[in-house]
Amino acid sequence: MPNKIANKKVICEVLSEHARVDKDVVVLCSDSRGSASLTPFFEEFPKQSVEVGIAEQDLVGIAAGLAACGKKAFAVSPASFLSTRSYEQCKIDCAYSDTNVKLIGISGGVSYGALGMSHHSAQDIAAMSAIPNMRVYLPSDRFQTRKLVEALLQDEKCAYVRVGRNAVEDVYTEDDCPFEMDRATLVRDGSDVLLVACGEMVRPAVDAAELLEKDGISAAVLDMYCVKPLDREAIVRQARKVSAVISVEEHAPFGGLGSMVAQVVGEECPRTCVTMSLPDAPVITGTSREVFDYYGLNGEGIARRAKEALGK
């Protein structure tokens, strides 16, 4: 059984490692250091930590100000609030002003489970991707999260990163985690169907590919952690090999990964294209796993939709 570690814990580890040698690394929270697993950072680096309180607009504005002074600012807040309450600041203070602010949306998707629609972020991919100059990333496991954050620490452009609240199963291993900035990772090659997934949906996509293999169906899995900029070349290269493309995301059906993949496939290599996502409605009450299972966002559900798309 793969190990299960929350990606947010890895973010704290990487930022702490860099903060020890780079005093320009600054972390800001909106009364969320506990839920973000950043308490160890705040305790070790009090002079590189800023607690703003429940004021997401201030959080992003202050982060942009610090970035304008040469700091490497990481603004951390629940994705549901960071992508809505502070949307104008993300657009103007970060993207339009081209400041080095990394927006870390924790507890993304339906991580908060039973707290309901007010705490779910099923629109953030669409919202943040629509902002010019804003990059959007959804890493799939701890190994990819580490490599992504380390890469983001080396550049000076703004970005939005969404991670979940709960521990997630490994997709990669410490010795085998291919990573290239802004390039999708081909987890599995295949010739019948292409599964394109991001974030916590990558592991279920891999599970689906393994189930399909038992039925004689060859499924490729593309980890599209870089939702924006979207790796169009990888999508086209893999889509041309198969009869159907299935996108899987923890997001509403509009404006997310599925819409982007369908646009690319439709323009470059038309074929059957299916989007698997959360519904255009408040989701059921339950844990994130219960929500995924209910809407078929698991290995069995993805495999079933792939067979339907292939007419099998």
Side-chain angles (χ1 to χ4, degrees), residues 162-215:
R162 187 231 267 188
V163 294
R165 178 182 181 85
N166 307 307
V168 294
E169 293 182 2
D170 294 341
V171 175
Y172 306 100
T173 66
E174 188 171 3
D175 297 326
D176 184 16
C177 181
F179 180 86
E180 184 177 354
M181 194 62 173
D182 297 336
R183 291 289 181 268
T185 300
L186 183 64
V187 184
R188 290 174 59 110
D189 205 351
S191 56
D192 293 320
V193 62
L194 170 62
L195 308 178
V196 186
C198 61
E200 294 190 21
M201 291 294 101
V202 175
R203 181 70 241 180
V206 173
D207 294 341
E210 293 173 351
L211 291 172
L212 290 168
E213 185 177 29
K214 295 178 181 178
D215 292 331

Side-chain angles (χ1 to χ4, degrees), residues 9 38 60 64 75 83 93 101 119-121 138 166 193 204 220 224 231 237 241 248 259 267 310:
K9 291 186 177 181
L38 283 169
V60 177
S83 62
D93 297 348
V101 176
H119 282 63
H120 294 166
S121 57
L138 281 80
N166 307 307
V193 62
M224 191 60 69
D231 190 349
R237 183 168 56 250
K241 300 179 182 180
V248 192
S259 297
E267 291 176 351
L310 294 170

Side-chain angles (χ1 to χ4, degrees), residues 12-51:
C12 179
E13 292 174 2
V14 176
L15 292 179
S16 295
E17 292 167 6
H18 282 262
R20 294 186 185 108
V21 296
D22 185 352
K23 299 307 177 184
D24 284 334
V25 175
V26 178
V27 175
L28 303 89
C29 277
S30 58
D31 195 30
S32 54
R33 73 181 79 171
S35 58
S37 298
L38 283 169
T39 299
F41 185 97
F42 273 64
E43 291 177 345
E44 184 175 356
F45 309 101
K47 294 183 179 180
Q48 292 168 255
S49 306
V50 181
E51 174 56 73

